[in-house]
Amino acid sequence: MSLFDDAVHVLKTYEGQSDLRDLYLEHLAEHPDGMYKPCSAGHLTSSALVIDPVRERVLLTLHKKLGMWLQMGGHCEEGDPTLEAAALREAREESGIAHGLSLLPGGPVRLDRHPIPAPCHWHLDVQYAALAPAEAVAEISDESLDLRWFPYAEVPTVADASVVQLLEGTLARL
């Protein structure tokens, strides 16, 4: 199964946000290249909110280009076999936690479509949640200005509504 086929399957079986899910599926039907960054109409991305092992905090990155506290995530790459694999790869790369991250069961937590500057117009993000291992040590990547663990209650004070909604959906699964 290709990454494209996996994305279609994941979206067809995702039970929430039906209007947005259908928009993602329409995008893929119209754009065979819609999984990757060169698709100027927009492309799918995959991300993961990293939860600490005792389930009291989340790890957020201060994105270098956007200057915002966000979950780990980014563009799908040709070598990614699945959206889950892309989310885990991005989480490992951006958190510095090389081993032991595991996605919470149940598939994506939510979808988030947000505009980005030209030449591309939209990121269609498929958002997961990942649990960090007990021995996790986070390290700032080249894509980040900072990396920090935030107690759940602090997230709304530093992050935008999308991250807050992702946290809320994640907490409902814990």
Side-chain angles (χ1 to χ4, degrees), residues 4 13 30 44 69 92 95 101 103 105 115 123 168 170-171:
F4 183 94
T13 58
E30 293 171 10
L44 267 66
W69 288 102
R92 285 191 299 270
S95 72
L101 286 173
L103 293 181
H123 274 178
E168 290 168 351
T170 299
L171 292 177

Side-chain angles (χ1 to χ4, degrees), residues 23-71:
L23 183 112
Y24 280 37
L25 287 167
E26 289 170 16
H27 174 79
L28 290 175
E30 293 171 10
H31 303 282
D33 61 341
M35 292 299 304
Y36 303 107
K37 190 175 181 177
C39 181
S40 62
H43 47 270
L44 267 66
T45 56
S46 194
S47 65
L49 182 67
V50 176
I51 307 295
D52 78 326
V54 295
R55 300 176 184 207
E56 295 177 350
R57 303 173 301 163
V58 296
L59 184 64
L60 299 178
T61 181
L62 184 56
H63 194 278
K64 192 177 269 186
K65 291 181 182 176
L66 300 176
M68 298 170 61
W69 288 102
L70 301 170
Q71 76 275 11

Side-chain angles (χ1 to χ4, degrees), residues 63-85:
H63 194 278
K64 192 177 269 186
K65 291 181 182 176
L66 300 176
M68 298 170 61
W69 288 102
L70 301 170
Q71 76 275 11
M72 313 303 141
H75 297 106
C76 295
E77 296 180 1
E78 293 286 341
D80 294 327
T82 64
L83 285 174
E84 287 186 350

Side-chain angles (χ1 to χ4, degrees), residues 93-104:
E93 289 173 1
E94 293 185 4
S95 72
I97 302 171
H99 304 286
L101 286 173
S102 60
L103 293 181
L104 294 183

Side-chain angles (χ1 to χ4, degrees), residues 91-168:
R92 285 191 299 270
E93 289 173 1
E94 293 185 4
S95 72
I97 302 171
H99 304 286
L101 286 173
S102 60
L103 293 181
L104 294 183
V109 174
R110 66 183 309 272
L111 306 176
D112 183 72
R113 179 177 179 254
H114 49 271
I116 57 170
C120 179
H121 301 290
W122 295 98
H123 274 178
L124 294 88
D125 197 27
V126 180
Q127 301 178 327
Y128 294 87
L131 190 61
E135 70 282 358
V137 177
E139 294 182 24
I140 298 173
S141 76
D142 291 341
E143 298 179 36
S144 301
L145 295 172
D146 198 359
L147 189 67
R148 196 176 310 164
W149 291 101
F150 289 95
Y152 297 153
E154 284 185 33
V155 172
T157 67
V158 298
D160 70 3
S162 172
V163 177
V164 173
Q165 291 167 350
L166 177 56
L167 174 60
E168 290 168 351

